[in-house]
Amino acid sequence: MAYAVFAHYRCEPADEATVRDALLKMREHTRDEPANREYEVHAQEDVPGGFVLYEVYADRAGFDAHAATDHFAELIVETVRPLLTDRTVTFAERL
């Protein structure tokens, strides 16, 4: 059963380029993970510093493996999260 992640991130406009670059690097690494089925990064058109991520993994274990990677630690935990002013993440299983 596929496992999806919907993440809404917001940062200060001054940090937007740094967050964008990290998310695009993350996309490239994640797409090479065996359990990843899709990883899309969107900039919100009407929200400065707003991003929406859509991710799909083969299952919850695939997402957990993703969250345990060195690139997740470096790019998301250490680079992106400290710059966020708001973060909402929704996890869902495909029916």
Side-chain angles (χ1 to χ4, degrees), residues 6-92:
F6 304 88
H8 295 259
Y9 290 170
R10 184 142 187 209
C11 65
E12 294 294 335
D15 295 323
E16 188 172 355
T18 301
V19 171
R20 177 190 306 269
D21 289 347
L23 292 176
L24 292 176
K25 287 177 187 172
M26 189 66 192
R27 179 179 68 188
E28 297 310 309
H29 287 290
T30 302
R31 286 181 173 175
D32 289 336
E33 295 173 18
N36 180 258
R37 302 295 178 257
E38 191 166 351
Y39 191 98
E40 297 296 337
V41 178
H42 305 272
Q44 286 185 261
E45 190 172 272
D46 57 345
V47 180
F51 297 92
V52 177
L53 282 70
Y54 173 67
E55 309 170 41
V56 178
Y57 299 88
D59 52 23
R60 174 65 195 237
F63 171 77
D64 290 342
H66 162 72
T69 62
D70 290 341
H71 52 269
F72 186 90
E74 176 189 346
L75 295 168
I76 300 300
V77 176
E78 297 170 12
T79 303
V80 172
R81 285 186 186 166
L83 298 176
L84 298 181
T85 58
D86 189 44
R87 174 177 159 250
T88 303
V89 181
T90 302
F91 300 97

